[in-house]
Amino acid sequence: MLFISKYQVLSLFILPFICSLLLAKPIIVILRKLKSIQAFREQGPQSHLETKMGTPTMGSWIFVIPILFFGFKFYLSQNAFLNITESSSEENLSNIVTDRDTLIALLAFLGAFLMGLVDDSLKVFQSNYKGLSSIHKLIIQFLIAALVLFFSVKSFTIFSLAWAFIVIAGTCNAFNLTDGLDGLATSQAMLSLAALQGILCLKGDYSFSSLILITLASLLSFLLFNLKPAKVFMGDSGSLALGMLIGVMAYVKDLEWYLILIAIIPVMESLSVIIQVVYFKITKKIYGEGKRLFKMSPLHHHFELSGFTENQVVWGFFSFQLCVILITLFFAYSRMA
């Protein structure tokens, strides 16, 4: 049986939550003064042009600052964050401290945040929804994946590098595509992080517990300002950073295949874009005119254009993801028991 003391809960959850909460309004005011308004693509849902235009973006600062501050603080101080009351002396689970994997995850998170920050800045100050080019993003993601592999305990080969890139870049971009409705990417990231922690706990691994708790607290606070009608958007700097964090955590802990289930909505969002593009190109080659399988991609736009409200899509996706996660945790527990 494990428990977290009151002081540890205060340090790992309440303080990041309050910090993020206190940062929110000043950051939103600053973003408005800087006119940090994202340009929307003209071919996107028309309702977004009417309801979301004027909402500041780059609000990821609200949760990124607490995550980095408290994350590095706990890593550097090497504070124990769990008290195990019934632990095996052989496993030596009492007073577990953060390890090298936490530092790798934090640095990858920071790298993706900076990449997204450049992307957001181009969109805001050039009023161009395209931002940083896809090839530039992939190059940066490849470099981060290579560094993650190099500093992890995994063997460095061409195949392992390719796999690291597929997992890490794939997760990073999947959450980026998911960030299209108020509260969608935030709620999905929270579910995936909680599921990841649940699986790690079943394995007796608590090395990411402090970072995940800090991240959940910061995101919960941000969600209060990101739910419909959103007062601020996280921007690519937030969605790319969160996707990178989740992807790296799963990769270094050999939980890559679990991502298909614990991040099934972002996976479906990515697949919808790929399928849409491939189907359009194939039908254009065959019939001379491209056809679309979905009304619009990513998938959340398809449901919007099918008559569902934004809240119905967000909470419908949330409920579906939660059900899949609970089933996944049940089977993971059965397998590890």
Side-chain angles (χ1 to χ4, degrees):
M1 178 180 179
L2 61 89
F3 67 94
I4 303 177
S5 69
K6 293 181 180 179
Y7 172 76
Q8 290 162 338
V9 171
L10 180 68
S11 300
L12 297 172
F13 189 86
I14 299 179
L15 286 180
F17 177 82
I18 294 175
C19 179
S20 181
L21 202 62
L22 293 175
L23 286 170
K25 289 189 177 181
I27 287 177
I28 293 173
V29 170
I30 292 172
L31 291 174
R32 287 191 178 279
K33 287 184 178 180
L34 292 175
K35 296 182 179 180
S36 178
I37 309 301
Q38 180 175 324
F40 290 88
R41 57 176 183 166
E42 294 179 0
Q43 63 268 43
Q46 292 302 306
S47 60
H48 289 199
L49 296 175
E50 300 169 1
T51 61
K52 299 184 185 299
M53 189 64 71
T55 304
T57 187
M58 299 172 71
S60 56
W61 289 102
I62 296 170
F63 60 83
V64 168
I65 292 174
I67 291 172
L68 291 176
F69 176 78
F70 289 101
F72 279 116
K73 175 181 179 296
F74 276 91
Y75 174 80
L76 294 174
S77 65
Q78 292 288 286
N79 284 337
F81 57 88
L82 285 177
N83 292 321
I84 311 299
T85 58
E86 296 178 3
S87 60
S88 167
S89 58
E90 294 180 0
E91 295 176 342
N92 192 25
L93 292 177
S94 63
N95 298 325
I96 300 175
V97 297
T98 54
D99 60 3
R100 180 176 56 181
D101 290 344
T102 299
L103 180 60
I104 292 173
L106 277 169
L107 291 176
F109 175 78
L110 176 59
F113 168 69
L114 294 175
M115 172 180 65
L117 202 60
V118 173
D119 190 33
D120 284 335
S121 298
L122 291 174
K123 291 178 180 179
V124 168
F125 298 112
Q126 293 186 3
S127 297
N128 184 350
Y129 73 87
K130 292 183 179 180
L132 198 64
S133 69
S134 298
I135 189 65
H136 287 147
K137 288 181 184 178
L138 289 174
I139 291 172
I140 295 171
Q141 290 166 349
F142 178 81
L143 293 175
I144 294 176
L147 290 172
V148 169
L149 176 60
F150 180 79
F151 287 106
S152 68
V153 296
K154 300 174 183 288
S155 59
F156 198 106
T157 65
I158 296 297
F159 295 106
S160 62
L161 178 58
W163 178 242
F165 173 67
I166 290 171
V167 172
I168 294 173
T171 310
C172 185
N173 292 321
F175 276 89
N176 184 227
L177 290 171
T178 305
D179 185 30
L181 301 179
D182 295 352
L184 181 58
T186 310
S187 58
Q188 290 298 319
M190 292 177 70
L191 284 173
S192 296
L193 285 166
L196 197 59
Q197 179 57 41
I199 296 170
L200 288 172
C201 284
L202 290 175
K203 295 179 65 177
D205 186 344
Y206 304 96
S207 56
F208 277 142
S209 294
S210 61
L211 181 55
I212 289 177
L213 198 55
I214 289 168
T215 305
L216 287 174
S218 302
L219 287 177
L220 180 61
S221 185
F222 175 77
L223 188 62
L224 298 177
F225 300 89
N226 188 231
L227 287 174
K228 185 176 178 63
K231 297 179 178 62
V232 66
F233 301 139
M234 67 170 68
D236 286 351
S237 55
S239 57
L240 289 170
L242 290 173
M244 178 65 70
L245 182 66
I246 293 168
V248 169
M249 283 181 170
Y251 175 75
V252 298
K253 295 300 182 182
D254 298 318
L255 299 175
E256 301 98 317
W257 292 107
Y258 278 103
L259 285 172
I260 297 175
L261 296 174
I262 66 174
I264 192 169
I265 291 299
V267 169
M268 291 169 62
E269 297 271 29
S270 293
L271 287 176
S272 69
V273 173
I274 296 171
I275 293 171
Q276 185 86 318
V277 172
V278 172
Y279 185 78
F280 183 86
K281 289 184 176 180
I282 291 176
T283 53
K284 185 176 183 179
K285 189 173 183 180
I286 296 175
Y287 303 107
E289 182 180 354
K291 297 182 180 181
R292 291 174 172 81
L293 192 61
F294 301 102
K295 293 182 178 180
M296 186 176 289
S297 64
L299 190 60
H300 54 261
H301 289 327
H302 171 79
F303 282 97
E304 272 192 295
L305 296 180
S306 297
F308 292 90
T309 66
E310 188 169 354
N311 276 334
Q312 286 176 330
V313 176
V314 171
W315 294 115
F317 279 20
F318 180 91
S319 301
F320 177 70
Q321 178 73 87
L322 180 60
C323 290
V324 173
I325 285 174
L326 291 176
I327 294 172
T328 302
L329 290 174
F330 173 78
F331 282 104
Y333 174 77
S334 301
R335 181 186 175 191
M336 297 176 187

